[in-house]
Every structure is written in structure tokens, then in C-alpha cells.
Amino acid sequence: MKKENVVDGVQNAPHRSLFHALGLTEEEQKRPLIGIVSSHNEIVPGHMNLDKVVEAVKLGVAMAGGTPIVFPAIAVCDGIAMGHTGMKYSLVTRDLIADSTEAMALAHGFDGLVMVPNCDKNVPGLLMAAARVNIPTVFVSGGPMLAGRVEGKKTSLSSMFEAVGAYNAGKINDKKLLEYECKTCPTCGSCSGMYTANSMNCLTEAMGMGLGGNGTIPAVYSARIELAKHAGMAVMALVRQNICPRDIMTEKALMNALTVDMALGCSTNSMLHLPAIAHECGVELNLDIANEISAKTPNLCHLAPAGRTYMEDLDQAGGVYAVMNELTKKNLLHTDCMTVTGKTIGENIAGSVNLDPDTIRPIENPFSETGGIAVLKGNLAPEGSVVKRSAVLPEMLVHEGPARVFDSEEEAQAAINAGKIVAGDVVVIRYEGPKGGPGMREMLNPTSAIMGMGLGSSVALITDGRFSGATRGACIGHVTPEAASGGMIGVVEDGDIISINIPQNTIELKVDEAVLAQRMQNFTPKQKELHGYLKRYAALVSGGASGAILN
């Protein structure tokens, strides 16, 4: 779909009359029409500055000879949606965003797009739309939040959730909790650790769909506005060269993104979003490939929640390009991939310097020789499950203990708050998968409570749901098949021994095979009464191992 289909020729005179109704001059109608997809709203802290970013993009487009036209995309704040029914509406918006953007872009004949997202499902949803629409497209995000400060130490949203756990355990008082509340999130922007939003914005750079700095320049820095202007200029160059998203998001580019994911120690949610984006590009990206890449990719960064550095530190250290440059020292990237700069990955990162070896470890001295994410398989998760290995304490990399089983996040949270979970336990939360939730809720509340109560070195948690990027500890999500689809997790009973071995990529329910076979034969998954969009979503969605795509 191009501008000539809605503007040029006698047959499009009615269309032109409607452009005049918008106040667009003949001169503007003759230029390439660039749709700017604005995710600005006043409820998501990562999006409150996007109006300024959008205005800068518009200026960049106009400076380069295009006509910018803004239309909206929705976004849910995962932090605000956390721990209640609102979280059922987070992952599901990824497909709403992709669908609505596809509809707007193709209905109106745009020549190019600039996507302006910032938060968890908003970024992958727009990447999915970019692949579908496949017209020249550039991404520029709103940027990360600056870290907070409590008692002279940097903090992020995970610190806030863990403070609630510490408060419930009697480790901090009302005054200290209020201090965390008021100081943890000091600016607009996507939350300051390597959570899902920042993970996906960084991976957008890695796969070549965003300019350098897209993932790391803080939201409140003026450099973010400059970046947005350059994004507006860049899309015009792509239009002239007819470089489209599927020219950029190739199989090699997606492998680059997965490799950078392992080096950065990104959110486990990237293992949902990258396969879904790949699907739209006509590329199969399965969890087995993730372990193959992890096995040869060193983990170079321990940003919060895995460590004590934050997005602002990564930016000062040289950003994603500096990490990628380290990876090229062992030939771990496909440097010939095209990008939105019109140059290759290799050309983009040439000369990038690691300015802080404490934030970005040199490849000769990594945090670990293997990547930040691991995929575990076994009888409990024959199709796979995912853990952020870089955020697991060494003593919990191998763990065996009795199951404590709950059929919802709320049940598990109540037991944790009541002190019913003890050292050695394996908390099992089921019926929270893509279909069973529905919507595959994030389990940041229970994982943070476990950490805040001092049980992070002795308690594991597994779920067919998923985790926030802010989660740390031995937390294994995306267990597939899920309980609602008849998966083994649905027949786990209290006291069953579960064995987790992250270095060996295994997760096993240690119950006699004959007993398990009998349980599975008698198993009927629980059904929930659903309405509206969630009912449609549950009927169409695939398992977490394949990216929770809609069939």
C-alpha cells in the first residue's frame, strides 16, 4: 500500500478532499506520507513523555521532506496491572496493538512508519505489525527511567516490590516503605532495570530496527529528542531506498537479537516476544535454538534485578552497540545484516567502545560463559520452560524440594504472606498460562515477596504463567503444556518432589511413572467462565513455548 493508492490520479480526488479536510496542502500530499504510531498516554509512566518524542519525530520527517501523520497505539502499564485481574489484559494487548496498527497503516496508504513505543507488550506488538505491513519503518522508544535512590543506593521497581515483602516479614517499618514508595521511580520512562520494556527496546537495536541508543538513552535526556528527530529523517532515507522490515528482520537478525539477549541478561519475556516477532517474519524461532545460542554466548551484563547497575549505567558504558562490539570479538554476531540506518550491523557498531568494564564485562571476563536465559525441559515441561539464569543465586542453580501447589497467583500470594512457605519448598502456580489465565499473568508479587522475606536462596517457584523482567531468583515460567491444556503441571500434588537443574537445562517431577500415568488419565483441566476479549483470546492462543501467538 502506497500513497499513490489514496492520493494520485482523478479517481482519488475524493480522497484528496478528505486530506484537505485535515488541513493538508497540495505540497504535503505530494510528499511521502509517514504514519507515526504514537503510544502516548497519561497512565503509563514510560509513555508520558512520548508526546515530546512524537513531536521530534514529526519535525525530523518534515525536515527530510515527508508529511508526518500521527495515529495511536494502546499500552498497558504492567506495574500498575500487577497482582490483580488487570494483568490478564497485558500480554493480550500485544495482538491488539499489532492488529490495530496493521489496520490503520494499510487502510490509509502510508509510505513509511515510525513506531514510538516504550513498554512491555507495546514494543513487540509494533514489531509484529511492522513485519506484517512491511513498509519502511523505524523504531524510536521513549527511553528508560533513571534509577531511584534510597539510603544512597540505586533502586528500581523490583526494589519496591521486594520492599513490600520485607515489610510483610517485619524487616522494615512504615516509614521505610513510604521512602521506597516515594523515591523508587523518580522520572518518567520505562522502569530502570533490564526489565521487559528495556529488553525489547535494546533488542530492537540489536535486530537493526532502531537507531543506536534507542534502548538506553534515558527518557529525560535531551539526547532522546535528538534521537527522535534522527529517526524521522531515517525513515525518509528508507522510503527512498525501499528498505522494509522484512529486509531487516531476517533469520540472521533474529539470531543476533537472541545472542544480544543472552549477553545482556534480558527479561524472560523476550522468549515470548522474539518467537512471535519471528513468526510474523516467516521465521521459526524455537526454544531449542535459545539454548544453543546461550551455550556459546557469554553473559556480559548484570543489570537490575540481576545486579546493581541500571540502564543509565549501560548507556554511559557505551550502550547496546558496545555490548555487540564485545560479541564480535568471538564472531558471535552476523555483522552483514541490514539496519534502518541503511548500513550493516558491522558498520553501525564499528568503533563502539566499552567505557565501563564493570557494567559491560569484557568478553574475556564475563559474568558467566553462558547466556542470561536458560530453557529447561523434562516431564514437567516437555515443550519447555524459561528461567533468567543470570538472576538466580548460585546456590539455587540446582534445587530439589517438595511442591506447594496453588491454582492461582492469589492463592500463592496469600500463603507466602501468611508465612506458609518454608525453606526448600518449590511453589507451583498453575492455571495462569496463556489459555488458562487467560493472558499469562506475570508473577512479580509472589517472587518479590519470596525475595523480600529472605527466602530467595532456598525457595524456587514454577508456573505456567510468566514473570516480570523485574523478577529475580529461581523462578521458572512458561511451563508448557500449561495446566489448562492438559499439561503435567496440572497433576502435581502437594509434597511431590520437583528437581530443578539449571546448568543441565532440566526440570523433573520425581513421581513414579505409573502413578503419573494414572493421574493424567483421570485429569480434567479446570475451566473458567470467560467473557469478551479474554474469551476470544483463550480460544485462539498457543502455548508459551511457541510465543503465545494467536492461531
Side-chain angles (χ1 to χ4, degrees):
M1 193 70 175
K2 296 288 185 180
K3 172 179 68 68
E4 57 261 29
N5 294 313
V6 294
V7 173
D8 296 349
V10 173
Q11 74 279 6
N12 285 326
H15 304 70
R16 291 195 296 275
S17 72
L18 293 170
F19 280 113
H20 282 295
L22 292 168
L24 293 180
T25 65
E26 289 183 20
E27 292 82 1
E28 287 174 300
Q29 292 181 45
K30 290 177 181 177
R31 297 172 180 172
L33 299 180
I34 306 299
I36 301 174
V37 186
S38 172
S39 305
H40 172 254
N41 62 50
E42 295 183 346
I43 188 62
V44 183
H47 290 221
M48 63 177 287
N49 67 320
L50 294 191
D51 54 342
K52 308 295 189 299
V53 176
V54 166
E55 288 303 314
V57 172
K58 288 175 66 178
L59 184 55
V61 169
M63 288 167 63
T67 298
I69 301 175
V70 179
F71 65 87
I74 64 169
V76 164
C77 177
D78 278 27
I80 294 173
M82 196 71 66
H84 57 94
T85 193
M87 182 47 69
K88 295 178 185 289
Y89 287 90
S90 172
L91 179 61
V92 303
T93 64
R94 186 185 71 183
D95 294 276
L96 284 175
I97 291 162
D99 292 349
S100 60
T101 302
E102 173 194 356
M104 288 293 289
L106 294 180
H108 297 106
F110 290 108
D111 295 289
L113 297 170
V114 180
M115 307 292 199
V116 188
N118 211 32
C119 285
D120 296 31
K121 312 311 162 305
N122 189 234
V123 182
L126 290 179
L127 284 163
M128 291 163 67
R132 286 187 203 170
V133 176
N134 202 37
I135 60 176
T137 302
V138 176
F139 276 68
V140 57
S141 75
M145 185 184 292
L146 294 178
R149 298 288 193 284
V150 175
E151 296 180 343
K153 296 180 180 178
K154 290 182 179 180
T155 59
S156 60
L157 187 63
S158 54
S159 312
M160 182 69 250
F161 276 89
E162 289 178 19
V164 173
Y167 177 82
N168 288 334
K171 295 186 175 185
I172 63 173
N173 59 22
D174 290 353
K175 183 178 179 181
K176 181 57 65 177
L177 184 65
L178 181 61
E179 183 181 359
Y180 271 98
E181 184 179 327
C182 295
K183 295 181 178 180
T184 292
C185 299
T187 71
C188 64
S190 47
C191 296
S192 57
M194 187 54 80
Y195 308 153
T196 307
N198 293 326
S199 295
M200 294 310 302
N201 283 324
C202 288
L203 297 184
T204 299
E205 268 190 71
M207 71 177 73
M209 288 298 294
L211 301 176
N214 178 67
T216 61
I217 297 172
V220 294
Y221 284 12
S222 297
R224 176 62 54 178
I225 300 301
E226 294 181 30
L227 183 73
K229 292 176 184 175
H230 284 297
M233 298 178 206
V235 77
M236 293 303 298
L238 293 181
V239 169
R240 288 191 293 271
Q241 298 172 74
N242 195 32
I243 298 173
C244 297
R246 277 183 244 160
D247 300 322
I248 295 170
M249 290 191 286
T250 61
E251 183 173 1
K252 286 183 177 180
L254 288 158
M255 293 304 104
N256 281 346
L258 195 49
T259 300
V260 173
D261 184 316
M262 297 300 173
L264 286 172
C266 289
S267 163
T268 52
N269 282 316
S270 62
M271 292 297 99
L272 279 176
H273 300 322
L274 287 176
I277 295 162
H279 176 75
E280 299 292 349
C281 297
V283 176
E284 182 181 355
L285 196 163
N286 60 43
L287 295 187
D288 293 328
I289 293 172
N291 271 350
E292 290 175 21
I293 290 181
S294 180
K296 62 183 180 182
T297 306
N299 177 226
L300 304 181
C301 299
H302 265 193
L303 289 105
R308 297 181 179 178
T309 51
Y310 294 79
M311 295 305 297
E312 63 198 67
D313 301 310
L314 179 59
D315 186 61
Q316 292 296 311
V320 176
Y321 279 8
V323 174
M324 295 176 76
N325 211 32
E326 288 289 343
L327 293 171
T328 61
K329 295 176 182 178
K330 289 192 175 180
N331 298 315
L332 293 172
L333 295 178
H334 301 284
T335 56
D336 58 342
C337 292
M338 180 52 62
T339 74
V340 292
T341 66
K343 299 178 180 179
T344 65
I345 284 287
E347 291 173 307
N348 286 347
I349 67 176
S352 298
V353 179
N354 181 357
L355 300 173
D356 182 0
D358 291 327
T359 298
I360 304 172
R361 287 278 187 92
I363 200 161
E364 302 82 11
N365 181 35
F367 283 101
S368 69
E369 293 292 341
T370 53
I373 288 177
V375 173
L376 313 184
K377 287 189 173 183
N379 65 351
L380 196 50
E383 294 176 23
S385 60
V386 181
V387 62
K388 188 170 184 175
R389 172 167 35 196
S390 59
V392 179
L393 292 169
E395 57 267 38
M396 288 299 291
L397 290 171
V398 177
H399 180 77
E400 188 170 292
R404 297 296 311 281
V405 183
F406 305 95
D407 286 345
S408 71
E409 177 189 3
E410 287 84 357
E411 290 179 20
Q413 187 67 46
I416 295 167
N417 290 345
K420 295 180 179 179
I421 303 302
V422 299
D425 284 347
V426 178
V427 176
V428 177
I429 305 178
R430 61 194 181 193
Y431 293 103
E432 292 287 7
K435 187 180 296 290
M440 206 177 187
R441 286 195 291 180
E442 292 183 343
M443 303 291 153
L444 181 56
N445 274 347
T447 61
S448 296
I450 287 169
M451 295 302 295
M453 298 172 85
L455 294 171
S457 61
S458 59
V459 169
L461 188 151
I462 70 169
T463 179
D464 52 11
R466 62 194 177 95
F467 300 113
S468 163
T471 286
R472 62 190 179 104
C475 302
I476 296 100
H478 308 195
V479 169
T480 311
E482 60 178 292
S485 295
M488 184 75 73
I489 191 173
V491 300
V492 179
E493 297 180 0
D494 276 338
D496 286 350
I497 299 300
I498 295 175
S499 176
I500 299 163
N501 190 319
I502 296 173
Q504 296 297 318
N505 300 319
T506 61
I507 181 167
E508 294 286 340
L509 179 60
K510 300 187 77 172
V511 174
D512 183 79
E513 289 185 12
V515 173
L516 287 179
Q518 187 64 42
R519 288 185 192 176
M520 291 297 289
Q521 185 177 346
N522 297 331
F523 177 42
T524 301
K526 294 182 177 181
Q527 301 293 322
K528 296 178 181 177
E529 185 176 351
L530 301 173
H531 305 279
Y533 180 51
L534 290 182
K535 183 175 183 177
R536 299 198 302 275
Y537 183 87
L540 297 173
V541 70
S542 71
S546 58
I549 60 173
L550 298 187
N551 294 312

